[in-house]
């Protein structure tokens, strides 16, 4: 049996491996008042999971429009090559997302990349909506975000696996704090927050910069 490498890069998906978040692009396809759902989450009045679930459920678009939205997310353009480089350097990729596995796996499948994905399950019905469900089968299920990224990272760190983490948003703060500074990669809100907290990290703009860095460690 092949043993998985004991080096894992746990990465957020939206905004980290892509330029834009799925939910932000989705907001332009749904009634304007739905944007208040996200404001309620940012004010602590609803959970991250409930906010995304509500926004996604209003996404009554065609399959073609959904594909347009997915390409507007702008996934890392060289992802297949970057994924192969990571693997060659002994790192395996684990995607940890508080978003929906439906769109993540659709994007990855088309590129031919097949990492472990922890995300909330869901089903898209054209013109009806995207229905995101709680990951009740996952050992990393939690109320706030559905998938608990901190629990994923903690399990790896506790098992003495060399663990890197990359993210950009609010759900990424707690898991980012669990890894060593040289393996803590951040952009956007997360980078600003880590700076505010005076926590050391490595800032990135493109996901491939993380791969460059991790590959350098073994060269
Ligand atoms: Mg993100």
């Amino acid at each position: 049996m092949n043993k998985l490498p004991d080096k894992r890069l746990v990465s957020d998906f939206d905004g980290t491996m892509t330029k834009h978040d799925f939910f932000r692009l989705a907001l332009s396809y749904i009634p304007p008042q739905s944007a208040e759902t996200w404001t309620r989450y940012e004010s602590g009045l609803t959970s991250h999971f409930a906010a995304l679930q509500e926004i996604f459920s209003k996404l009554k678009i065609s399959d073609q429009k959904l594909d347009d939205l997915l390409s507007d997310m702008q996934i890392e353009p060289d992802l297949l090559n970057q994924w192969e480089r990571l693997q060659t350097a002994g790192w395996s990729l684990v995607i940890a997302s508080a978003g929906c596995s439906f769109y993540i796996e659709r994007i990855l499948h088309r590129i031919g990349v097949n990492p472990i994905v922890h995300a909330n399950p869901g089903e898209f019905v054209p013109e009806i909506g995207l229905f995101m469900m709680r990951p009740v089968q996952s050992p990393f299920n939690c109320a706030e975000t559905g998938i608990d990224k901190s629990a994923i990272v903690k399990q790896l760190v506790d098992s003495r696996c060399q663990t890197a983490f990359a993210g950009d948003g609010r759900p990424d703060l707690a898991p980012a704090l669990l890894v060593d500074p040289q393996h803590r990669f951040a952009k956007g809100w997360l980078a600003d927050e880590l700076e505010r907290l005076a926590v050391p990290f490595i800032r990135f703009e493109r996901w491939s910069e993380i791969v460059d860095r991790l590959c350098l460690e073994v060269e």
Side-chain angles (χ1 to χ4, degrees), residues 32-52:
Q33 62 269 29
S34 302
E36 290 168 17
T37 307
W38 193 250
T39 311
R40 285 210 313 281
Y41 158 66
E42 289 180 327
S43 309
L45 298 174
T46 189
S47 71
H48 188 277
F49 183 90
L52 286 190

Side-chain angles (χ1 to χ4, degrees), residues 140-159:
F140 306 113
N141 184 359
C142 76
E144 172 57 27
T145 50
I147 284 293
D148 183 346
K149 301 186 193 193
S150 292
I152 293 168
V153 172
K154 188 168 184 309
Q155 188 186 69
L156 292 171
V157 170
D158 287 351
S159 65

Side-chain angles (χ1 to χ4, degrees), residues 89-106:
W91 287 86
S92 66
L93 173 62
V94 177
I95 293 177
S97 171
C100 187
S101 59
F102 169 79
Y103 62 81
I104 295 171
E105 285 169 356
R106 186 144 159 172

